[in-house]
Amino acid sequence: MNGTRSWTAPKGFTAWAPFKETTKYFQPSEKQFMINYGVEGLDQLLTQMRAAGVMPTNSVEKTSYGNFVDLMDPEGNKIELWEPNYVEYTKMGTLTTK
């Protein structure tokens, strides 16, 4: 992450985020959920995936708290790859459950 990483994600970290029933965020999937994976080296991973014939459904979205790209798995599930910028993400809040 260009040398900006000064915080490591906790091991076993899980996020759960409900959406309104009418959301279109999971499209093009027809499912009511998506899977989100935190990754390192998103650009290199996308290069390898494209070489293997796996194509993203959109272009990389760059935000202050990380970079995102979406794909679809063979079963029609939307998968979001997120390369986090934990420094900025941590500033957004620390609401957690135990």
Side-chain angles (χ1 to χ4, degrees):
M1 284 191 287
N2 302 330
T4 61
R5 186 174 183 178
S6 64
W7 183 81
T8 302
K11 293 188 189 288
F13 137 57
T14 301
W16 183 77
F19 286 73
K20 290 184 178 183
E21 187 175 325
T22 57
T23 187
K24 297 182 189 290
Y25 190 71
F26 305 129
Q27 291 181 353
S29 175
E30 295 180 10
K31 309 276 178 88
Q32 295 180 346
F33 66 90
M34 73 175 194
I35 302 163
N36 182 298
Y37 290 107
V39 301
E40 290 186 14
L42 181 60
D43 291 335
Q44 296 86 352
L45 179 58
L46 282 173
T47 297
Q48 293 173 347
M49 293 176 79
R50 286 182 177 117
V54 178
M55 302 306 286
T57 60
N58 61 348
S59 57
V60 175
E61 177 185 355
K62 296 182 183 272
T63 70
S64 63
Y65 53 91
N67 301 328
F68 298 85
V69 71
D70 302 329
L71 4 136
M72 297 288 289
D73 77 7
E75 296 177 355
N77 300 305
K78 182 177 178 180
I79 297 174
E80 182 174 70
L81 302 179
W82 171 37
E83 181 177 38
N85 176 341
Y86 288 117
V87 172
E88 293 300 319
Y89 182 68
T90 303
K91 291 177 187 177
M92 295 174 65
T94 58
L95 180 62
T96 61
T97 59
K98 295 183 182 194

